[in-house]
Each structure stands twice: as C-alpha cells, then as structure tokens.
Amino acid sequence: LIGILNQRLPKKVRDNMQEPALQNRTGRFAESVKVTEVQKTPKGFPSFGYTYQKNPYERFEVGRGDPPWATPERDPRKLIDKSIREIATQFAMGRFFTRRV
C-alpha cells in the first residue's frame, strides 16, 4: 500500500495545489511528499506517517511558520492529508488517520 500511495501521491498533490493552498511552480514540493509508514491505532485503524521537504515548506505550517506565510489554507499538512484521502478512497478504505513524521 505504501508503494501505491507513493507512486500516485506526487500527481495528486500537484492536482490539489490550487489557491488558496500552496501552488505548484517547480514540482519540488509535490515530489518530496512520501508515505513512510503505516501503523495501527489502538482501535485498529491504519495511521499513515508521511514526510515532505521541510526546508523551505515547513514555514507554511500553522504553529511552525510565521504569518503571513503560515495560514490554515497554505498548511502543507492539510494538502497532503487531502491528497492521501483522495487516493485511499479509490481502494474503498474506511476510517484512517494521517500524521507528519
């Protein structure tokens, strides 16, 4: 499952990079997004750990970056979560979680 997600994730992230979210200019951010692990939560649901190129994109995370760059709309975690969820629905996955590692 990790391999399939990582194969489809860059394109899905690029497709979802539209205003007011981060916008695709070079493709560097989208290509850096990777699912690194899948763990089970205590209730038995899958939890996908992912990473991305933190320098310079971490500055857009709310709580890590500074305004005006860090906004809820630009937060890369939101964009990645949406992209993973869109791919997972193709596999009829039910409830699951995502987290940045």
Side-chain angles (χ1 to χ4, degrees):
L1 188 56
I2 291 174
I4 293 170
L5 285 170
N6 284 335
Q7 180 183 15
R8 297 180 183 190
L9 205 47
K11 181 182 181 329
K12 185 57 74 174
V13 169
R14 272 192 305 275
D15 292 346
N16 287 331
M17 292 179 82
Q18 299 174 12
E19 288 225 22
L22 294 176
Q23 294 181 21
N24 185 45
R25 297 189 191 220
T26 65
R28 192 171 57 178
F29 172 74
E31 292 296 326
S32 76
V33 178
K34 302 280 185 252
V35 173
T36 59
E37 62 187 23
V38 180
Q39 296 179 353
K40 277 193 176 182
T41 67
K43 293 191 176 184
F45 298 109
S47 176
F48 296 99
Y50 65 84
T51 190
Y52 65 90
Q53 183 180 337
K54 303 226 178 20
N55 183 12
Y57 303 105
E58 190 174 50
R59 79 171 57 161
F60 298 106
E61 278 191 26
V62 173
R64 292 198 180 257
D66 296 319
W69 303 110
T71 64
E73 295 82 16
R74 284 184 169 168
D75 195 323
R77 297 171 297 184
K78 184 176 175 182
L79 177 65
I80 296 167
D81 180 76
K82 177 182 178 180
S83 300
I84 291 173
R85 289 184 181 284
E86 288 178 4
I87 294 169
T89 58
Q90 297 171 357
F91 298 101
M93 290 190 68
R95 185 174 179 184
F96 65 89
F97 300 90
T98 62
R99 67 197 182 320
R100 182 177 63 88
V101 291

